[in-house]
Amino acid sequence: MDLDVFVSAHRAEWDRLDALLRRRRRLTGTEADELVSLYQRTATHLSLIQSSAPDPRVVGRLTQLVARARSAVTGTRRASWRDVTRFLTHGFPAAVYRARHWWVPTALISTAIAALIGWWIGTHPDIQASIAAPSELREMTRPGGQYETYYSSHPATSFAAQVWTNNAQATAMCLVLGIFLGLPVLWILFQNMLNVGIGIGLMTSAGRLDTFLGLILPHGLLELTAVFVAAGTGLRLGWTVIDPGPRTRRTALAEEGRAAIGMAIGLALVLFVSGAIEGFVTPSGLPTWARIGIGIVAELAFLTYVYVLGGRAARAGETGDLETAERSAVVPTAA
């Protein structure tokens, strides 16, 4: 594209659009139609320049012009309870459902790695000795030791809030850092599985694996599922950098990135539930079967929510991205 020729050919249209947007009086029907037409053409011009000859000065002017025109055409829109309802019943579950081919394998592989680490530590006393001194290991794994008292070491409310904050930060990092080809996500995921594997191994060596599972499963099922969803989505975002498919890399990253941000909000709500379970149910005096049962019910409720509501919304075309009217206009690309 010859940018100078393109600008000369369309400058009059941009100036006319700018003049219509500056009008103080109400536009006539003909002028309103003209404004919409000029807005659509200018948005297309902006997309063409961004993909072919991204001159900062021209892009800056057209971006501002398109934004003003969009506001004039669509009007100012405020978030409402309808948006919240749509997000919870369509956007979030659909985004999680669409990412299932990433987070389900992530969950299976990560669980296998944690189990393998646990077996390795549990069957090798020399590895256990490298983790801590024998007296410290006994203090961690004995009845009433650190593994058991950890969940009741602080008031339930503050403990739940701390757990929720830490887990929300971890999932947000998985989602955001996925853009770096997913490498930081793999490290964060490995650290989580290493911690779980160490607990499994040490408690197995002490003959108290059932106690450990009784402590971690009530909240861990839902909590780890949220981590796996975030990690899988982060890995998918990293793969989008490598292979954006039929979309331009800029468009693909924008769409997947917006969906990932929405998932961060949704997963924060999921982690709020798991944090409440960890703060109030895990250290409670309920029988082990009851505590684990609550965790299983919470996990099944989330999976049903994703596969039923999310699957239905995804099949209807929902992606978890912004509504079509709120997205930037782009030039269609051939597959």
Side-chain angles (χ1 to χ4, degrees):
M1 174 192 293
D2 188 319
L3 183 61
D4 292 334
V5 172
F6 188 85
V7 170
S8 298
H10 298 287
R11 178 180 286 120
E13 294 177 283
W14 305 338
D15 291 341
R16 175 58 178 167
L17 177 59
D18 183 56
L20 290 173
L21 291 172
R22 293 176 182 276
R23 286 282 178 88
R24 297 288 184 181
R25 61 176 177 78
R26 191 180 186 89
L27 297 179
T28 64
T30 302
E31 289 173 334
D33 290 341
E34 183 185 8
L35 187 147
V36 172
S37 177
L38 288 171
Y39 158 61
Q40 294 172 334
R41 291 206 296 271
T42 304
T44 301
H45 297 160
L46 173 60
S47 184
L48 286 170
I49 292 174
Q50 286 177 322
S51 60
S52 303
D55 180 89
R57 183 177 57 82
V58 178
V59 169
R61 185 201 173 186
L62 293 187
T63 298
Q64 184 181 40
L65 196 57
V66 168
R68 290 167 54 208
R70 175 189 290 273
S71 179
V73 170
T74 62
T76 302
R77 185 176 179 277
R78 296 181 180 180
S80 65
W81 284 109
R82 172 186 170 277
D83 298 308
V84 175
T85 302
R86 178 184 174 277
F87 171 75
L88 294 177
T89 59
H90 293 77
F92 174 58
V96 178
Y97 180 82
R98 288 180 62 244
R100 70 193 184 281
H101 297 303
W102 285 89
W103 63 262
V104 171
T106 297
L108 295 176
I109 294 172
S110 298
T111 302
I113 289 174
L116 183 62
I117 292 173
W119 169 82
W120 183 52
I121 293 175
T123 55
H124 291 76
D126 54 323
I127 301 300
Q128 299 168 29
S130 69
I131 295 174
S135 59
E136 294 175 329
L137 294 178
R138 285 194 297 272
E139 178 59 30
M140 285 190 288
T141 59
R142 69 175 177 83
Q146 293 176 8
Y147 271 117
E148 290 187 39
T149 58
Y150 169 76
Y151 296 102
S152 57
S153 58
H154 297 87
T157 303
S158 61
F159 183 72
Q162 179 182 353
V163 167
W164 175 69
T165 301
N166 292 339
N167 289 332
Q169 288 176 344
T171 55
M173 288 176 63
C174 284
L175 292 167
V176 172
L177 296 179
I179 196 171
F180 297 105
L181 303 182
L183 298 178
V185 177
L186 295 175
W187 176 249
I188 294 171
L189 195 58
F190 176 74
Q191 289 296 312
N192 275 273
M193 294 304 100
L194 179 62
N195 290 333
V196 174
I198 290 174
I200 291 174
L202 295 181
M203 291 295 274
T204 298
S205 68
R208 306 192 68 230
L209 179 61
D210 56 338
T211 300
F212 180 76
L213 294 179
L215 290 171
I216 197 173
L217 288 180
H219 64 273
L221 289 172
L222 188 60
E223 178 183 297
L224 287 176
T225 298
V227 172
F228 295 145
V229 170
T233 303
L235 292 174
R236 185 179 68 170
L237 187 61
W239 184 252
T240 301
V241 177
I242 300 172
D243 181 17
R247 302 167 292 182
T248 65
R249 184 167 282 103
R250 180 197 299 269
T251 300
L253 284 175
E255 292 177 356
E256 300 300 338
R258 288 192 298 263
I261 292 173
M263 288 180 70
I265 298 172
L267 289 176
L269 297 176
V270 175
L271 289 170
F272 177 81
V273 176
S274 72
I277 294 174
E278 188 169 0
F280 294 93
V281 176
T282 299
S284 71
L286 291 173
T288 300
W289 65 265
R291 288 185 280 112
I292 293 178
I294 291 173
I296 291 175
V297 169
E299 174 74 359
L300 291 177
F302 176 70
L303 293 178
T304 302
Y305 166 72
V306 169
Y307 277 87
V308 175
L309 283 183
R312 184 185 305 153
R315 287 187 291 273
E318 179 64 62
T319 64
D321 193 4
L322 296 174
E323 294 188 58
T324 304
E326 298 175 350
R327 303 176 202 166
S328 298
V330 295
V331 175
T333 57

